[in-house]
Amino acid sequence: MKHFINLKDINTRDLKKILIDAKKRKKKRKKLNTLEADKGSPLKGKMLIQMFEKASLRTRVSFYLAIKQLGGETLTLRSNELHLGQGGESISDTAKILSTYGDGFMLRTDSDKKIEDFKNHLSIPLINGLSPSSHPTQILSDIFTVEEIKKKPISKLNICWIGDSNNVLDSLIAASVKFSFKLNIGCPKKFEPGREVRTWVKKNKKEIFIYNDPKKAVMGADVIFSDKVISLNDKVNKKMKIKKFKEFKIDKNLIGYAKKDCIFLHCLPRGSEVSNEVFLGKKSCVWQQALNRIHVQKSILLYCFDKLR
């Protein structure tokens, strides 16, 4: 049994094994329908329980399809429908019940402490479907997409992030350490990555490059990543934040400073941080990126269930 909570805590060898397995599985699915199981149904009889405390489209549907294609089943819960949310039942008691009923638990939450508390009381694998400090399934899938499109290891590419410092960026920073790729970050001064994540990078003898000028950040980029500047539960002055990020909008002019064959990726949903021309243009690979969540999460599930070969 293995958890999948933060890329920082998983060794690079295992992360690469997941990506190799996902590549093989995607290739073998070309002739199969959406709900047809993979050959051998490696997770037949297994059930993944997933719980959402925050809105979700891609994570919810992709995990549903991932476990189905591996021959298993899924049950989706919302915390406000449980005693945990309304009746004050403890996390430890909830975790024991979930461990009795299911084989794995995927949680999307607005609390890192809740992730840690569940981890301490579950006797089944825990997968982080997004927390305030991490979105590991998204970023590992994104690495898969980059390598699939560029046909080379991500370690040989220049990666750029333009946007807010959030959980997705924290996972991208963790990935830059694990996979040894150059990462440029473009954001306004007040929205730079926090001290904790920067200290962790230094501790691992790596470096990230932060620019308050978006043009300098995208210079020579093979891939530009972004995310919504105003997230659903952002407790800030939204008008002020949008104003601060005005110069960081990813449009035709800005992307022109990157390499000619640069691609654009966005974990979605999108906002005003990218122009329609870029988002719907030839450099955008966002739909392929979203689809790949299924394939990589299948291999993450196999990793958690000790079925990865």
Side-chain angles (χ1 to χ4, degrees):
M1 180 190 91
K2 299 182 185 79
H3 300 304
F4 196 89
I5 295 171
N6 195 309
L7 297 181
K8 292 178 182 177
D9 305 322
I10 304 166
N11 68 56
T12 305
R13 186 184 67 251
D14 285 343
L15 293 172
K16 286 182 176 178
K17 272 179 73 176
I18 290 169
L19 294 178
I20 290 166
D21 184 76
K23 188 177 179 181
K24 290 175 186 172
R25 290 192 173 275
K26 183 174 181 179
K27 194 175 179 181
K28 287 177 181 176
R29 277 211 68 84
K30 285 183 179 176
K31 294 179 182 178
L32 296 177
N33 291 321
T34 304
L35 289 177
E36 280 187 84
D38 287 2
K39 186 179 178 182
S41 297
L43 292 186
K44 186 178 180 181
K46 299 286 187 184
M47 184 170 76
L48 175 71
I49 299 172
Q50 45 181 7
M51 187 170 85
F52 295 90
E53 294 184 327
K54 299 185 70 163
S56 174
L57 171 60
R58 283 149 293 277
T59 300
R60 184 189 304 258
V61 180
S62 58
F63 264 108
Y64 172 84
L65 290 172
I67 190 77
K68 279 277 189 181
Q69 290 180 6
L70 291 170
E73 294 289 338
T74 183
L75 175 66
T76 299
L77 306 172
R78 289 191 296 185
S79 58
N80 64 359
E81 298 172 335
L82 309 181
H83 292 293
L84 174 69
Q86 299 293 324
E89 186 166 35
S90 68
I91 284 179
S92 60
D93 288 359
T94 304
K96 284 169 187 170
I97 293 298
L98 293 172
S99 299
T100 303
Y101 290 161
D103 300 288
F105 181 51
M106 194 278 288
L107 175 63
R108 171 172 281 222
T109 179
D110 53 9
S111 166
D112 286 311
K113 186 179 185 304
K114 196 169 283 186
I115 289 269
E116 192 61 31
D117 288 347
F118 266 111
K119 175 190 165 188
N120 292 336
H121 294 102
L122 286 166
S123 57
I124 56 176
L126 172 63
I127 297 171
N128 180 359
L130 180 144
S131 68
S133 67
S134 183
H135 198 356
T137 62
Q138 174 71 55
I139 289 300
L140 192 61
S141 175
D142 290 346
I143 290 170
F144 177 92
T145 302
V146 168
E147 294 189 340
E148 180 179 61
I149 294 166
K150 290 294 185 179
K151 297 182 171 26
K152 61 176 72 172
I154 196 168
S155 59
K156 297 185 183 300
L157 299 168
N158 294 328
I159 308 300
C160 174
W161 171 276
I162 297 291
D164 196 10
S165 295
N166 59 13
N167 48 7
V168 182
L169 176 57
D170 281 356
S171 286
L172 186 63
I173 291 170
S176 76
V177 171
K178 294 289 180 176
F179 289 88
S180 298
F181 58 81
K182 186 186 176 190
L183 177 60
N184 284 1
I185 297 163
C187 62
K189 183 74 177 169
K190 287 186 177 179
F191 296 90
E192 292 179 0
R195 186 182 298 171
E196 188 179 333
V197 68
R198 289 162 83 158
T199 301
W200 180 83
V201 171
K202 282 185 181 178
K203 191 178 172 185
N204 282 273
K205 297 179 172 61
K206 299 288 182 180
E207 191 176 3
I208 54 174
F209 302 90
I210 300 168
Y211 299 91
N212 302 131
D213 181 343
K215 292 171 185 173
K216 288 181 180 177
V218 303
M219 201 79 72
D222 294 290
V223 184
I224 296 174
F225 280 90
S226 192
D227 191 7
K228 201 171 183 180
V229 168
I230 303 294
S231 62
L232 197 63
N233 299 309
D234 223 343
K235 296 178 176 67
V236 296
N237 184 322
K238 294 178 183 178
K239 283 185 180 179
M240 183 66 75
K241 190 174 183 183
I242 289 168
K243 190 177 177 182
K244 291 274 187 186
F245 276 91
K246 191 178 177 184
E247 300 301 317
F248 291 81
K249 183 161 185 165
I250 302 161
D251 55 19
K252 190 179 177 181
N253 176 56
L254 182 59
I255 214 165
Y257 288 88
K259 288 184 181 174
K260 282 189 176 180
D261 63 348
C262 173
I263 62 169
F264 173 74
L265 296 177
H266 195 298
C267 59
L268 298 172
R270 62 170 161 141
S272 60
E273 66 285 335
V274 56
S275 69
N276 263 347
E277 190 177 15
V278 170
F279 187 84
L280 301 173
K282 290 181 180 178
K283 292 183 181 294
S284 177
C285 300
V286 296
W287 312 122
Q288 185 174 342
Q289 177 188 10
L291 173 65
N292 282 337
R293 294 285 302 277
I294 302 167
H295 303 295
V296 175
Q297 284 161 189
K298 284 164 70 175
S299 301
I300 288 170
L301 285 165
L302 291 169
Y303 164 80
C304 290
F305 284 112
D306 287 322
K307 298 271 188 183
L308 199 63
R309 296 289 175 260

